[in-house]
Amino acid sequence: MATYDGFFDSLGLRDWCDAGAQDGPMSMADLLARAQGGSTEAAADAGSLWDLPFPSLDALAASCPAIPRSRDLTVGLETGFLGIRDALRVVVDPVTQPLSWMLREMLWVMTATPWWLMIPILLLITWAVGRSWKVVGLVALFIGLLAFVDHYQAAMETLAIIFVCAFICVLFGVPIGIAMSRSDRMQNFVTPILDMLQTLPPFVYLIPLIFLFSVTEPKLYGIAVILYAIVPVVRLTNLGIRLVDKDVIEAADAFGMTKTQKLFGVQIPLALPNIMAGVNQTIMMSLAMVVIASMVAAPGLGILVLRGIRNLELGTGLVAGFGIVLLAILLDRVTKAALARIDASASNR
Amino acid sequence: MTTDKPVKVSIRHLYKIFGPEPEAAMTKVREGMGKPELLKTTRHVLGLRDINVDMREGQITVIMGLSGSGKSTLIRHLNRLIEPTAGEVLVDGENILTWPEGKLRQLRRETMSMVFQKFALLPHRTVLENAGTALATRGVKRRDWEPEAKTWLKRVGLGGNGHQYPHELSGGMQQRVGIARALTSNSGIMLMDEAFSALDPLIRTDMQDLLLELQEELHKTIVFITHDLDEALKLADHLVILKDGEVVQQGEPQHILLNPSDPYIEDFVADINRARVLRVRSVMQAGPAEGTFAGDIAPDDNLESVIAAAKGALEPRFRVVRKGEVLGTLEMATVMRALVPRGSRQAAE
Ligand SMILES: Nc1ncnc2c1ncn2[C@@H]1O[C@H](COP(=O)(O)OP(=O)(O)OP(=O)(O)O)[C@@H](O)[C@H]1O
Ligand SMILES: [Mg+2]
C-alpha cells in the first residue's frame, strides 16, 4: 500500500489506474525498496501525517501506475528533443553555417598574420575608435605583456572569437532593439526572451546546442556566445530610442519627416551614446562567455584556464586567468574611449 | 479693416476628447456635459469643445488662455500632430482631416512650419543644419539649402553662429534658430506654440519686436500661442481667448479690451497697463479734423505716448494722421476715459 491509494480509490479511479499500468524503468527508490523486501509497505502503514510525502509524480505513481513518473518527464523531454533535432538541424544548420565560416576565417587571419603586422593593425584600430594615445599605449603594453609570456596565440584566438560574435550581436541586436522601440507589442514579446537569456546560467544553453551541432563546429560556441552577449545591445538600443526627447520627435514630425528620415536622422544619432554603452557591455559579456565556451572547444585563453583546473596546473590556470583580465581591461578601455568620444560630441544636450 | 483679407486656415466645430473611448464621451459632451463633470463621470479629458476660428492670410492670430486651457492641443490640430474627435480643419478651403499621409506630409513640409516652446532643435546638428531642416527633409541638396539657411540665420541675427551646436547658444539664440528654421521652410503658415514663454522678459521683448519686424515684410499667416496677455495684445491682429477648451471671446484685441464679453475676460484684462496697450485708432473719433491741434499722432501710437505728448495736460486735441492722410481726432478726455476698465466705470456711474 502506498500513501495515496485511498485517494484514487475514493475517486473511483482504481480501474483506470491499473489499466494504464506501464512497465517503465524502475526508479532508484523502487530498487532500494525491493532490495529491502516489502519494507516500503510497512513504512507507509506506519506513516503518520508527519511523514506524508508531497503528492509528487513519483508518489502518485506509486499508488496509481497510470500516472507518469518524474523520470518519464526527463526521458520524454530528451526523446522529444532528439525527435525534432533532425528537423531543426535542416533549418538551423545552413542558416548558422556562415557563423562557422566567419569564426574559422577570423581565427585563421588573426593567428596566421605575423605578430609584427598584427599588433600595429590592432593599435591602428584602437586609434580609429578611441582617438586616444593613452588607450593605444595601454593596448600596446597589454598585448606586449601577453606575448612576452607566450600567450599571444591564445589571446588572438580569444579576440578573434569576440570580434566575430560582438559584430554579429550588433548586426542583429541593433535592428531588434529598433523594432522593439517602435512597437510595444514587440517589446512585450522580446523582453521575456531577453530576461530568460540573461538569467539562464550559460551552461544551460550549451546543453541543447551540443545535441544540435557537432562539437567540432565553431558555430557551437559562436551561438552560445552570441545568445549570451546580444542582450545588452538589444536592451540599450530599445531604451536609447525610447528615451529620445519627445519634443525633438514632435519637431521632426511637424517638419514632415518620414519614419525613415526620423530613424536615421534623429532617433539613432540621439540614441547613439546608449547604443554604444550596449556595445561595450556586449563585448564584455562575449569575453566572459568565450572563457566558459572553452568547455565546448572554443579555443583561446579559456582552454588554458580549463587545463589548469582539469590537471591541477595552478600556474597555467593563473597566468591564463590573468591574461583574461588584461583582455577585459583592454576591451573595456577601448570601447569606453569610443563611447567618451561620442558623448563628447553630444555633450550637454 | 480685418475682414477684407481671405481666410487661410479655418477651424470648424472642432472637438477633442482625450481618453480610451472618445466617441462615447463625445455623445455626453454634445448633450452639454462640462469638462470637470466629464472627467469625474467618464475619466475622459475634454481637450477642446466646439472651436470655430478663422485665421486670415497675412495676419497674426493669437490664441491665449491659462495653462491647461487647450492651446497646445488646438495648435497641434492645424498640422494634425493630434487627430480631432470631431470637426474640420480647412486650409485654403480644403479639409486636411481627409488627406492621406503623403499629402499631409507635404502640408507639413511646404505649407506649415512650427516653432516650439522648448525650441526642439536637433542637438546633434549644427545651427546651420538645423536652420536647413525643412529643406533638407524635402530632399533639397545641401548646396542648395545652405545659402537659404544662411540668409535667414543672418536675418534673425545669428549670421556668425552657423557652425555651432544648439547647446552652445543661449535660450534666446536657440529660439532665433527655431524661428530661422521655420522661415527657411518658406511656408505660408507659421505655428508658434508659446515660442517666447521660456525666455526672460528682455529677450522676450526683443523676440516680439523681431517677429513683428519680420511680419512687416513677410506677411505670413501666423498662429501664435501665449498665456501672457501683454504679449497677446502686442502681437495679435486677431485674438482668441480660450478657457477650459472653449472659446470665450475672439476678435480685434483692442475691441476685446474695451468690450470684454465675460467676467472671466474682465478679470483677465483688469491688471493690464491700458495706456501702453490701447492704440489711438481704437479710441479716436474718425472723421475730418477741424480747429486747432496740439500736434499730430499716428493711429498706431499707444495712449501712453499721447499722454506724454500732451505733457500731462487734459485740454489738448490731437490730429490722427497716417502717411499724410488725416484719419480723425482724439481728445485727452477720451483718452482718460478709455484708461478706466469698463467694470470700474460702471461701478462709478
Ligand atoms: N495626451 C493627453 N492625454 C490626456 N489629456 C491630455 C493630453 N494632452 C493634453 N491633455 C489635457 O488637455 C488639456 C489641455 O492641454 P494643453 O496641453 O493643450 O494645454 P495648454 O493650454 O497648452 O497648457 P500650457 O500652457 O500648460 O501648455 C489639459 O487638461 C491636459 O491635461
Ligand atoms: Mg502648451
Side-chain angles (χ1 to χ4, degrees), chain B residues 71-72 117 193-194:
Chain B
K71 308 177 299 283
S72 300
Q117 176 173 5
D193 185 5
E194 305 214 22

Side-chain angles (χ1 to χ4, degrees), chain A residues 247-248 250-259 261 264-266 269-270 345-349, chain B residues 76 79 81 105 108-109 113-114 116 118 120-125 133-134 136-137 167 181-182:
Chain A
D247 292 333
V248 175
E250 186 174 53
D253 282 331
F255 280 95
M257 287 197 191
T258 60
K259 276 193 159 186
Q261 283 176 325
F264 291 104
V266 182
L270 293 187
S345 73
S347 62
N348 296 329
R349 58 192 194 189
Chain B
R76 276 163 181 69
N79 56 2
L81 287 176
R105 192 178 304 131
R108 291 177 180 173
R109 287 180 173 187
S113 50
M114 202 159 177
F116 298 85
K118 291 179 195 145
L121 301 173
L122 302 182
H124 59 295
R125 298 207 183 150
T133 305
T137 306
H167 71 262
R181 175 169 73 172

